[in-house]
Amino acid sequence: MSDLFCPARFFVARHGDAAYETPRGVITEAGGWLTPLGLSQARELGESLRTENIATVVCSNVARAQETARVAAEMLGVDWTSLPGFEEYRVGELVGQRFGDAGMQRVLAAWMDGDLDAAFPGGESGLDVVNRYREALRDLADQYRGESVLVISHGGVMSLALPRLSTNVRNDLARRQYIPNAVPAEVLVDADSFRIEHWPGKADKSVI
């Protein structure tokens, strides 16, 4: 990453409310699709950022994020593209298990407690997730220095990576401030640091 004289401003949002091919409560890495509520949330997200001079919309390579990006970009009148690095954490062998699976909960709890070496069997460690998210944001910041970009990502990876990359918040910021659908965090990225300017988390877990 080359030196940045001006930080890039990222509005990083979780995709809109989605439905999936699998039954509710089952762990999946499928792309899903936006529900009518999710489509409305994506439109509202784009509308809310009309005054922010958004240069482009970037999203993960997952279908529900791509659909959110497309709708928000239409509202903003800008292009959108999908890039690797912004997708949800990969759970490996836990696909098909219930979200309450003890193995999954142990890994997530370890991450929140600061043990980023913990990993899903056949999937990612916390360190894997934070590192690839860092590189994705840095590469984007290098391209859009001094500009504003909307990034459509996923709640779990945002909650883990963004606080740990930022210099001005606690690592466990997301532990009691859950990320709602399609409401952006504002993050500044320059050559030296990441800084969270706004975190949209809610204390009520039902927002997700």
Side-chain angles (χ1 to χ4, degrees):
M1 180 177 181
S2 58
D3 288 339
L4 301 180
F5 298 99
C6 296
R9 173 176 277 106
F10 295 127
F11 293 91
V12 188
R14 185 185 179 197
H15 57 81
D17 183 68
Y20 301 89
E21 297 86 347
T22 55
R24 182 176 294 274
V26 173
I27 301 169
T28 180
E29 292 184 345
W33 59 90
L34 294 189
T35 64
L37 173 60
L39 288 168
S40 177
Q41 291 170 334
R43 288 190 290 268
E44 291 173 4
L45 172 60
E47 181 66 30
S48 73
L49 296 175
R50 279 187 180 273
T51 62
E52 299 294 343
N53 297 317
I54 301 297
T56 192
V57 180
V58 173
C59 65
S60 80
N61 53 14
V62 179
R64 59 189 181 276
Q66 292 173 330
E67 192 174 4
T68 305
R70 177 184 59 77
V71 173
E74 287 176 357
M75 299 298 297
L76 291 164
V78 300
D79 294 331
W80 69 275
T81 189
S82 57
L83 294 173
F86 298 112
E87 63 272 14
E88 190 60 282
Y89 45 72
R90 302 179 186 95
V91 297
E93 297 172 13
L94 295 183
V95 169
Q97 302 301 311
R98 305 292 300 183
F99 276 106
D101 177 84
M104 182 176 192
Q105 295 307 313
R106 280 195 299 271
V107 172
L108 294 178
W111 288 358
M112 286 295 106
D113 289 338
D115 178 11
L116 298 188
D117 290 326
F120 297 115
E124 289 184 297
S125 70
L127 192 59
D128 292 333
V129 175
V130 172
N131 284 343
R132 53 105 161 156
Y133 213 81
R134 177 192 294 112
E135 292 310 306
L137 284 175
R138 279 184 170 169
D139 287 348
L140 203 58
D142 202 22
Q143 184 176 357
Y144 289 98
R145 62 184 70 184
E147 297 186 272
S148 296
V149 176
L150 172 59
V151 178
I152 306 300
S153 188
H154 303 263
V157 67
M158 289 172 61
S159 296
L160 176 67
L162 288 178
R164 284 162 179 78
L165 294 175
S166 298
T167 58
N168 64 317
V169 299
R170 290 170 53 107
N171 285 347
D172 62 354
L173 173 65
R175 179 161 242 160
R176 291 292 181 268
Q177 296 190 47
Y178 304 102
I179 292 288
N181 292 104
V183 182
E186 185 177 347
V187 184
L188 297 182
V189 182
D190 62 20
D192 301 314
S193 67
F194 293 72
R195 181 178 179 86
I196 290 176
E197 295 291 291
H198 172 71
W199 184 257
K202 304 293 184 182
D204 179 6
K205 194 173 184 179
S206 68
V207 297
I208 64 173

